[in-house]
Amino acid sequence: MSESPEHYVDTRPYPDPEGAGAATRFDPVASNRRLMLRRFLRHRLAVLSALFLGLSYLSLPFVDFLVPYGANQRDVEHLYAPPQAVHLFHEGSFVGPFVYPTSGHPDLKDYRWRYEVDESRPMPLRFLCPGAPYRFLGLVDAEVRLVCPPPGASLHLLGTDRLGRDMLSRLAIGAQLSLTVGLLGIAVSFAIGITLGGMAGYFGGWIDAGVQRLSEILKSLPELPLWLALSAAVPAQWSPVTVFLCISVILGLLDWPSLARAVRSRFLALREEDFVMAAELMGASPARIIRRHLLPNFASHLLASATLSIPSMILGETALSFLGLGLRPPATSWGVMLNDAQNLMAVETYPWVSLPMVPVILVVLSFNFLGDGLRDALDPYHDD
């Protein structure tokens, strides 16, 4: 009788804690959350976009403290002033952060403002100093600002507009409205889209038919003329806050049909699953089934849809304000600032007045990159 072959038995525990490397989609013990995080981190543009957007939104409550001027604070001696530079060294010696004073005069030959820099007088910047009053976090009256111009000089790092208002301060303060309108618009759009789409997908029948016909009607209407008509209906005497809320609601009301269709199609498939039938047999109400069982299975798609829909809200507000039908002065937003750029001669002579288009482009691209990264991360088992 032949001897049985010897079998090799590895005494090391499985999995090998020393040989375990980074989680991959082939790692049988890696959690789904770890796989999603790893795949998201591999998308470099998405990571950079998430950091940029995170810092932008976290800084919104503190922009009045961070900028040297108020949104509507005028410097009548520096109309259409060019961007200034901050220096550290003067004639080879370290002075610290300082600016050179500038003086302007009208050029009647070319019909523009000319500015001269006095490089013989370095003027150090002031920090944590009193400036134009504002409401910190919208609650507390304050005057302290992180940096202020020295007495007798100005600090316009991105120049000024036709009224002598600082471009950098207005860009930062305008971000509060331009970035927030996307979040409020998405909240309105998601509330309507998830509710109507969920009811259409779960109940079907005449509810499904009614929601489908309503969404088809809205999708068939030209978007921009509808925006213009609804925005023109907002009374001009309303306060900037009321107009801002109305613009957010208008943008949200016109954006929900696509989301409602996506929710409906997903719910039509999920309502036939065993866990939904089990919940129904146990007596769960339709609202609980939708909220606790169906929506969690659709949360990943909702998250990716939100990051891809916010840019359209921001662009919508910017376009309406640019055309004079959205937010109006004294409110400050990127669209309101771009409204001054309609004068092509001013843009050609003073190109820094068109700077508000830069943050709009950066934010829209960041949200698109973030949405791409989240869409890939939420499907970690898909082949690269």
Side-chain angles (χ1 to χ4, degrees):
M1 182 176 181
S2 61
E3 298 181 359
S4 60
E6 295 183 1
H7 295 279
Y8 172 74
V9 179
D10 192 347
T11 59
R12 293 178 300 175
Y14 178 81
D16 184 4
E18 297 180 356
T24 67
R25 61 190 181 92
F26 301 108
D27 190 346
V29 297
S31 64
N32 196 47
R33 183 175 301 178
R34 188 180 180 189
L35 291 174
M36 289 190 295
L37 177 60
R38 173 177 169 79
R39 188 169 178 104
F40 179 76
L41 293 178
R42 290 174 58 187
H43 200 302
R44 302 296 176 84
L45 286 177
V47 174
L48 293 177
S49 299
L51 293 176
F52 171 72
L53 292 174
L55 291 176
S56 298
Y57 277 98
L58 289 176
S59 64
L60 290 183
F62 311 102
V63 292
D64 291 291
F65 167 73
L66 298 175
V67 297
Y69 296 95
N72 296 304
Q73 184 178 352
R74 297 181 59 185
D75 184 355
V76 295
E77 296 183 356
H78 293 84
L79 306 180
Y80 281 129
Q84 286 181 268
V86 175
H87 306 272
L88 297 177
F89 296 89
H90 176 68
E91 296 181 352
S93 59
F94 180 78
V95 178
F98 71 90
V99 294
Y100 292 117
T102 61
S103 59
H105 63 276
D107 185 347
L108 299 181
K109 180 180 179 180
D110 295 333
Y111 296 101
R112 59 171 300 171
W113 285 91
R114 301 284 185 182
Y115 286 87
E116 297 178 354
V117 180
D118 184 1
E119 297 186 354
S120 63
R121 292 191 301 151
M123 308 189 75
L125 302 179
R126 297 179 297 155
F127 295 93
L128 298 178
C129 45
Y134 61 93
R135 293 185 66 84
F136 183 70
L137 299 177
L139 302 173
V140 183
D141 293 329
E143 294 183 353
V144 178
R145 294 184 179 270
L146 178 63
V147 59
C148 299
S154 60
L155 180 61
H156 303 301
L157 299 182
L158 297 181
T160 62
D161 62 6
R162 61 186 178 87
L163 298 178
R165 298 171 296 188
D166 183 58
M167 291 293 295
L168 176 61
S169 301
R170 287 175 60 79
L171 279 176
I173 296 173
Q176 292 178 317
L177 293 181
S178 294
L179 293 181
T180 309
V181 70
L183 299 181
L184 293 180
I186 282 297
V188 174
S189 173
F190 270 47
I192 299 175
I194 291 176
T195 301
L196 296 182
M199 293 173 59
Y202 183 76
F203 294 106
W206 65 269
I207 297 179
D208 183 18
V211 172
Q212 287 293 92
R213 300 296 83 75
L214 180 60
S215 64
E216 289 170 359
I217 292 174
L218 287 178
K219 294 294 287 185
S220 65
L221 298 176
E223 193 173 59
L224 183 58
L226 190 58
W227 280 356
L228 297 178
L230 293 176
S231 299
V234 177
Q237 65 271 18
W238 282 6
S239 66
V241 176
T242 306
V243 174
F244 168 72
L245 294 176
C246 287
I247 296 299
S248 302
V249 171
I250 289 173
L251 295 175
L253 287 175
L254 301 179
D255 190 65
W256 65 266
S258 299
L259 177 64
R261 288 193 169 199
V263 174
R264 169 188 173 274
S265 62
R266 184 63 176 169
F267 277 22
L268 285 175
L270 289 176
R271 71 178 184 179
E272 306 298 333
E273 297 290 339
D274 293 340
F275 65 90
V276 175
M277 299 180 64
E280 292 175 346
L281 293 175
M282 293 178 65
S285 64
R288 180 180 176 83
I289 293 175
I290 293 175
R291 184 178 65 254
R292 298 295 299 272
H293 300 286
L294 296 181
L295 281 180
N297 285 276
F298 195 57
S300 60
H301 180 84
L302 295 178
L303 183 61
S305 297
T307 57
L308 295 174
S309 298
I310 291 177
S312 63
M313 302 284 182
I314 297 176
L315 290 174
E317 182 277 326
T318 302
L320 292 176
S321 300
F322 173 76
L323 296 174
L325 296 174
L327 297 172
R328 307 178 182 94
T332 304
S333 72
W334 295 337
V336 174
M337 295 179 66
L338 282 173
N339 185 267
D340 293 336
Q342 291 186 12
N343 188 341
L344 297 181
M345 293 185 63
V347 173
E348 182 181 0
T349 308
Y350 314 106
W352 53 87
V353 299
S354 60
L355 280 175
M357 71 174 63
V358 176
V360 173
I361 295 173
L362 290 178
V363 168
V364 170
L365 287 177
S366 297
F367 270 114
N368 287 331
F369 289 142
L370 179 61
D372 290 340
L374 289 175
R375 183 176 54 194
D376 294 340
L378 295 172
D379 188 13
Y381 298 101
H382 190 273
D383 290 335
D384 295 331

